[in-house]
C-alpha cells in the first residue's frame, strides 16, 4: 500500500512582530484524512522535530477534520513529539506533501533535507505536493546541475493578493508568488480564497487553506491509479 509523508514547519515567530505563527492546522488535517480514509498510510514530520507550532489563528474546532484530528490522542502526540525530516528515508514514501502556514516561509526554502527528500521522492516517480505557503519548499529546489525542479511547470501558492489581504506583505521574508515565478514556473492564481488546485504531472499545488482537501484528494487519486 502507498505511503505518504506530510511535512510541517518548526518555525513559530512571525518575523519581528512578536506574534507567533507556525503551520495552518487544516492544511495538515484535510490532506491527512483525504489520504488515510482511502487506506493510504501517512506519517507526519517537522523540520526540526519535537513539538510543532500550530498557528493559533488556525485553531478552528468547528472544522470537522481539525476536531477529528485533535480528538485522537495518538495524532496529537505526533505533533507534540514529531520526528524530524532529516531522519527520513525517501525510498519509504511514494508522496510528500508540504503543509502551509506562514512559518514555512522561514524554514522551508533553505533546508537541505527538504530538498534531499522531496527531490528523491519525485525522481522515483513519486508525488510532490504543497499547500498555500507550503510551496516555499519549492522556491530553491534545484537539481545537481542547478536547474529548478519547477522550471516550466504549472504551480500555485498563496498569492500576493492574499498576502496583502492578511496584512503580512511587509512581514514575510519574500513574496511567494514572485519567487515561484523567478524559478521560471508558470504561476496560476485564482481569486483570493478560491479553491485552486494545480496539477502538473506528479507536481500538485494548492493556493490556500481552501485548497487543502483538494490537494489531498488529488494526491490520493494519483497514488491509487
Amino acid at each position: 500500500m502507498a505511503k505518504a509523508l506530510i511535512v510541517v514547519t518548526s518555525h513559530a515567530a512571525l518575523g519581528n512582530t512578536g506574534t507567533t505563527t507556525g503551520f495552518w492546522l487544516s492544511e495538515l488535517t484535510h490532506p491527512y484524512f483525504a489520504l488515510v480514509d482511502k487506506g493510504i498510510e501517512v506519517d507526519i514530520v517537522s523540520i526540526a522535530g519535537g513539538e510543532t507550532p500550530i498557528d493559533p489563528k488556525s485553531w478552528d474546532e468547528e472544522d470537522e477534520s481539525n476536531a477529528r484530528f485533535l480528538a485522537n490522542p495518538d495524532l496529537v502526540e505526533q505533533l507534540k513529539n514529531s520526528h524530524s525530516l532529516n531522519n527520513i528515508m525517501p525510498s519509504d514514501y511514494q508522496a510528500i506533501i508540504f503543509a502551509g502556514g506562514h512559518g514555512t516561509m522561514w524554514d522551508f526554502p533553505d533546508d537541505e533535507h527538504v530538498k534531499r527528500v522531496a527531490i528523491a521522492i519525485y525522481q522515483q516517480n513519486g508525488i510532490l505536493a504543497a499547500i498555500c505557503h507550503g510551496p516555499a519548499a519549492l522556491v530553491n529546489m534545484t537539481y545537481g546541475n542547478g536547474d529548478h525542479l519547477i522550471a516550466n511547470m504549472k504551480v500555485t501558492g498563496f498569492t500576493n493578493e492574499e498576502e496583502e489581504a492578511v496584512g503580512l506583505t511587509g512581514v514575510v521574508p519574500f513574496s511567494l508568488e514572485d519567487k515561484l515565478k523567478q524559478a521560471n514556473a508558470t504561476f496560476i492564481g485564482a481569486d483570493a480564497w478560491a479553491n485552486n488546485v494545480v496539477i502538473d504531472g506528479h507536481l500538485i499545488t494548492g493556493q490556500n487553506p481552501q485548497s487543502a482537501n483538494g490537494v489531498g484528494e488529488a494526491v490520493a487519486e494519483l497514488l491509487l491509479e
Side-chain angles (χ1 to χ4, degrees), residues 111-222:
D111 187 88
E112 62 178 308
H113 299 290
V114 163
K115 184 191 236 181
R116 173 184 67 85
V117 177
I119 288 180
I121 290 173
Y122 188 69
Q123 288 187 317
Q124 63 197 26
N125 204 33
I127 299 157
L128 172 56
I131 302 163
C132 195
H133 286 92
L138 305 175
V139 298
N140 294 325
M141 198 170 285
T142 53
Y143 296 113
N145 64 2
D147 290 346
H148 277 90
L149 184 147
I150 59 173
N152 304 311
M153 299 193 74
K154 300 183 186 75
V155 300
T156 193
F158 206 62
T159 64
N160 288 340
E161 180 187 5
E162 287 167 325
E163 203 70 83
E164 189 69 33
V166 298
L168 293 174
T169 302
V171 174
V172 290
F174 56 89
S175 155
L176 181 57
E177 178 179 335
D178 291 355
K179 279 280 194 184
L180 292 168
K181 290 175 178 175
Q182 287 165 18
N184 292 319
T186 300
F187 187 89
I188 301 174
D191 291 341
W193 322 120
N195 175 10
N196 180 31
V197 177
V198 174
I199 303 171
D200 190 338
H202 279 204
L203 177 67
I204 301 171
T205 46
Q207 180 172 318
N208 46 36
Q210 289 76 10
S211 312
N213 186 68
V215 169
E217 290 180 344
V219 172
E221 189 173 329
L222 274 179

Side-chain angles (χ1 to χ4, degrees), residues 28-29 44 56 69 71 85 130 137 152 155 160 175 192 212:
L28 165 65
T29 64
I44 301 165
F69 192 98
L85 181 63
N152 304 311
V155 300
N160 288 340
S175 155

Side-chain angles (χ1 to χ4, degrees), residues 4-8 23 28-29 32 42-46 52 69 74-76 78-79 81-85 88 93:
L5 185 70
I6 300 180
V7 184
V8 300
F23 69 91
L28 165 65
T29 64
Y32 179 86
V42 179
D43 287 340
I44 301 165
V45 297
S46 64
T52 59
F69 192 98
D74 291 337
L75 293 177
V76 172
Q78 285 189 49
L79 298 185
N81 292 289
S82 68
H83 292 290
S84 169
L85 181 63
I88 291 299
Y93 299 92

